[in-house]
Amino acid sequence: MEPHQKATIVLSSNAVFTGLHDHPIPASIAITANEIVAVGTESDIKPWIGSETKVYHFGDQLIMPGFHDFHVHVIIGSLFKDSVNLFHARSEEEAVELVRQYAESRPNDEWIIGTSWDSSHWESNTLPHRSSLDRVFPDRPVYLPHYEGHFSWVNSKALEMLKIDRYTENPPFGEIAKDENGEPTGILYEQASQLVANLAFQVSHEKNQSLFKDFLSYAARLGVTSVNDLYAMGKDRLFEHFDLYREFDEKNELSVRIHVFPALNGELERAKEVRDAYRSDKLQIAGLKQFVDGVVNGHTAYMLDPYSDYPETRGETTFPADTLKKWIVDADAQDFRIRLHALGDGAVRLALDAYEEAQKMNDKKDSRHAIEHIEVIHPDDIPRFHELGVIASMQPEHLAAAERSMYVARIGKEREKHTFPLHSLQRSGATLALGSDFPVVSLEPMLEIYRAVTRIDSSGQEVWNPEERITLAEALRAYTLHSAYGNAREHELGSIEPGKLADLIVLDANLFAIPESEIKDSKVILTIVGGKIVYEAGAV
């Protein structure tokens, strides 16, 4: 029987990863308007082809669902992408020189912003000091977040603008590092660092529009068709960003689906109001997010036992446990999906305990709450993810971004066995959803996929806990269908099936047929969102 409506686009390949099988299959896909209407053999799809149907044959190149990044920071990431990247600097002096060169090209910027330095990669392996920045920048404020974003390096001008001096007390869940004479060193941790971010990130609406346009192009080029935009510590500007995204959505210029997660802070009315006032298949308030702890590198991740190299502390929680639990119980009662940043094994346990309490108080339901990062876990807590229905939201590239010897020095060999536990969580029955945490690392999904299947560490040579590797098919599903599940959209996104929204990408190679070492170099050649081509390699 002839279909009553012809397809707008037909894609064919010998290698189509639908998400329903562990390996690609030969298939053709018919798209009408914004929907996949048929998947089958070339002869099955032939009746869908009309005189105006765009027909693409891709040989052995891989067609798959668009990537659904489960953890990004859209505007902050775009700001950092527009700044100087210091990740490859190998000394404090080299980092300062990179910032100087960048600042010369931006004479009109009030703030000089750089990102991604990591002193554990430096020859000195010591934290930098404001004095090295002061010599070059006596009058312009400089803000340089560490690659993980949980502490920063600033100059004296930035401290002056913030009115921070030797007499300034630490904010809650924050530290102003001071030398033996009580003077600030220029290193600010957690909420102290966020005081700078709140000032440096005061950006005009026009600048935000420009940054967002750049992000949309960047995502399309990388095959990222959906993202979760999560609250980052400090001032919550996601409601402002939601208004910006809505402008683009209403003009039909939104080329990536955005699920926004403002701050979980006990104030639910505004989130409910915005959630209920506007929702489309491209944009929605999808839940709330909060931090339970910090990061291992800065000794601010909350551990069950003291740090191996700093036994005076085991980190701390961002807020008192009772406060966090109350916020979670109340938000769960209002049917918000909740995302909790928890890196240390103590934070992971506290997050699980809070979700368990919400189930007891509000009855068990299909909440689809998640825990972010889960870099260190106690083995007793691994099965609790499946038992409580909690999604494990992880970013495999973090295990390469972290300097491994530093990481092991912080937590010791015994806890190292339970770091970045992708396979252990998946094997226990947990739903694993992958993302990037852009801008902590690149938005590039191929890096995350490569790291998930190889576990190659920061040296580029060694495999970090090889038993925690997952298969290519598992990694791709975790980056597509499972992320869609995490947003309760698995019925319309995440796999290639008739009736689902037409978010598909084509890669320049069949990932299943190339060496694992080449996965990270694979490129997207076509991106389709809602049946519309938003990126085509070589197109002007």
Side-chain angles (χ1 to χ4, degrees):
M1 180 184 297
E2 287 283 319
H4 69 277
Q5 185 177 6
K6 298 298 183 182
T8 49
I9 298 174
V10 165
L11 310 176
S12 296
S13 173
N14 297 323
V16 176
F17 181 75
T18 64
L20 306 178
H21 313 282
D22 286 340
H23 296 281
I25 59 171
S28 293
I29 304 154
I31 297 167
T32 295
N34 68 342
E35 185 180 318
I36 299 169
V37 291
V39 180
T41 65
E42 282 195 38
S43 60
D44 292 334
I45 301 304
K46 191 173 181 180
W48 288 93
I49 299 174
S51 59
E52 298 192 10
T53 304
K54 290 184 178 179
V55 180
Y56 295 82
H57 296 284
F58 289 104
D60 295 324
Q61 294 171 315
L62 187 70
I63 302 175
M64 61 170 283
F67 287 110
H68 189 141
D69 194 315
F70 206 53
H71 189 132
V72 304
H73 308 288
V74 172
I75 299 296
I76 291 174
S78 301
L79 273 164
F80 282 151
K81 190 172 180 289
D82 193 42
S83 68
V84 57
N85 190 303
L86 307 174
F87 187 74
H88 295 292
R90 286 299 172 263
S91 69
E92 182 172 353
E93 296 73 21
E94 185 180 347
V96 172
E97 175 58 18
L98 289 171
V99 177
R100 185 195 67 76
Q101 293 173 15
Y102 170 80
E104 280 188 354
S105 71
R106 309 291 283 259
N108 298 320
D109 288 3
E110 180 186 6
W111 281 84
I112 302 164
I113 299 175
T115 186
S116 297
W117 61 273
D118 185 2
S119 56
S120 64
H121 286 298
W122 295 354
E123 296 151 10
S124 64
N125 197 23
T126 56
L127 289 170
H129 195 273
R130 62 186 166 90
S131 59
S132 59
L133 292 171
D134 293 345
R135 284 192 289 272
V136 182
F137 306 104
D139 302 313
R140 294 178 72 185
V142 181
Y143 169 52
L144 307 174
H146 179 264
Y147 88 89
E148 290 180 297
H150 284 254
F151 55 100
S152 58
W153 171 25
V154 301
N155 66 344
S156 295
K157 182 63 177 178
L159 293 174
E160 176 191 322
M161 292 177 70
L162 288 158
K163 298 181 171 55
I164 291 176
D165 58 23
R166 63 180 297 129
Y167 303 107
T168 308
E169 295 184 359
N170 291 329
F173 194 68
E175 180 187 353
I176 301 164
K178 296 177 181 176
D179 62 22
E180 62 275 10
N181 299 315
E183 294 292 338
T185 66
I187 300 297
L188 304 173
Y189 292 91
E190 301 295 349
Q191 288 294 354
S193 177
Q194 291 307 313
L195 296 173
V196 197
N198 292 342
L199 197 58
F201 288 165
Q202 290 182 350
V203 177
S204 70
H205 183 69
E206 291 72 24
K207 176 68 171 177
N208 277 336
Q209 285 179 314
S210 175
L211 290 169
F212 187 49
K213 285 179 182 177
D214 289 345
F215 176 82
L216 294 176
S217 297
Y218 183 45
R221 179 163 49 84
L222 297 178
V224 175
T225 57
S226 290
V227 298
N228 287 13
D229 191 13
L230 272 63
Y231 162 68
M233 199 176 287
K235 182 178 169 112
D236 183 9
R237 292 192 166 101
L238 280 185
F239 290 113
E240 300 167 34
H241 298 163
F242 188 89
D243 289 341
L244 171 68
Y245 306 156
R246 181 174 176 173
E247 287 178 26
F248 279 71
D249 194 22
E250 290 176 338
K251 292 186 290 186
N252 199 28
E253 294 176 1
L254 204 55
S255 56
V256 64
R257 303 184 197 278
I258 304 183
H259 308 83
V260 180
F261 287 77
L264 170 73
N265 55 15
E267 299 173 7
L268 297 175
E269 288 310 309
R270 188 175 183 197
K272 285 168 60 180
E273 180 184 329
V274 178
R275 178 186 68 178
D276 297 342
Y278 186 86
R279 178 188 177 95
S280 75
D281 65 1
K282 292 277 187 70
L283 177 65
Q284 54 190 256
I285 296 288
L288 301 170
K289 187 254 183 143
Q290 191 49 267
F291 292 77
V292 178
D293 67 345
V295 293
V296 169
N297 196 323
H299 298 102
T300 55
Y302 181 54
M303 310 299 293
L304 292 171
D305 296 306
Y307 280 88
S308 299
D309 63 343
Y310 191 16
E312 295 85 358
T313 186
R314 57 191 185 102
E316 60 178 315
T317 57
T318 51
F319 301 95
D322 288 347
T323 299
L324 283 166
K325 287 180 178 179
K326 183 179 188 314
W327 289 350
I328 290 161
V329 169
D330 290 349
D332 175 77
Q334 297 294 328
D335 295 326
F336 282 102
R337 284 187 292 279
I338 301 166
R339 310 283 290 276
L340 295 176
H341 166 118
L343 265 80
D345 52 8
V348 172
R349 179 165 293 177
L350 174 56
L352 290 167
D353 289 348
Y355 288 149
E356 186 169 13
E357 184 165 329
Q359 288 187 2
K360 290 176 181 175
M361 297 291 289
N362 301 328
D363 295 328
K364 190 168 184 177
K365 51 189 173 182
D366 188 17
S367 302
R368 305 192 190 187
H369 302 320
I371 297 179
E372 309 298 311
H373 310 307
I374 320 166
E375 291 191 4
V376 188
I377 192 170
H378 191 285
D380 290 352
D381 290 320
I382 290 173
R384 296 181 68 197
F385 280 78
H386 173 64
E387 291 163 7
L388 296 170
V390 174
I391 294 164
S393 170
M394 302 181 74
Q395 305 79 35
E397 181 64 9
H398 282 28
L399 68 88
E403 207 293 310
R404 187 178 177 185
S405 62
M406 173 281 299
Y407 205 95
V408 177
R410 296 282 190 274
I411 64 173
K413 282 287 186 183
E414 189 58 36
R415 283 181 289 199
E416 186 207 9
K417 298 173 186 175
H418 309 294
T419 53
F420 304 97
L422 294 164
H423 182 61
S424 292
L425 284 163
Q426 183 177 265
R427 185 180 58 217
S428 74
T431 297
L432 178 66
L434 297 186
S436 64
D437 199 9
F438 169 76
V440 173
V441 299
S442 163
L443 188 67
E444 172 60 77
M446 293 307 163
L447 295 176
E448 305 292 341
I449 299 299
Y450 166 75
R451 210 66 64 179
V453 301
T454 67
R455 302 279 302 196
I456 299 291
D457 69 5
S458 56
S459 72
Q461 307 293 325
E462 300 296 321
V463 178
W464 192 342
N465 294 353
E467 67 280 3
E468 293 297 345
R469 290 179 291 203
I470 61 176
T471 69
L472 177 57
E474 289 167 342
L476 293 178
R477 265 195 291 270
Y479 224 122
T480 53
L481 186 58
H482 293 180
S483 296
Y485 172 86
N487 285 317
R489 301 193 68 181
E490 72 279 9
H491 62 289
E492 56 183 347
L493 298 172
S495 60
I496 299 177
E497 301 177 72
K500 288 201 169 184
L501 293 170
D503 293 5
L504 304 102
I505 62 174
V506 184
L507 306 181
D508 62 358
N510 178 0
L511 301 183
F512 292 83
I514 62 176
E516 288 180 343
S517 61
E518 296 179 12
I519 290 174
K520 64 182 183 300
D521 301 315
S522 299
K523 303 296 181 188
V524 172
I525 60 173
L526 186 74
T527 303
I528 297 174
V529 177
K532 180 180 178 181
I533 296 172
V534 298
Y535 172 75
E536 191 168 4
V540 178

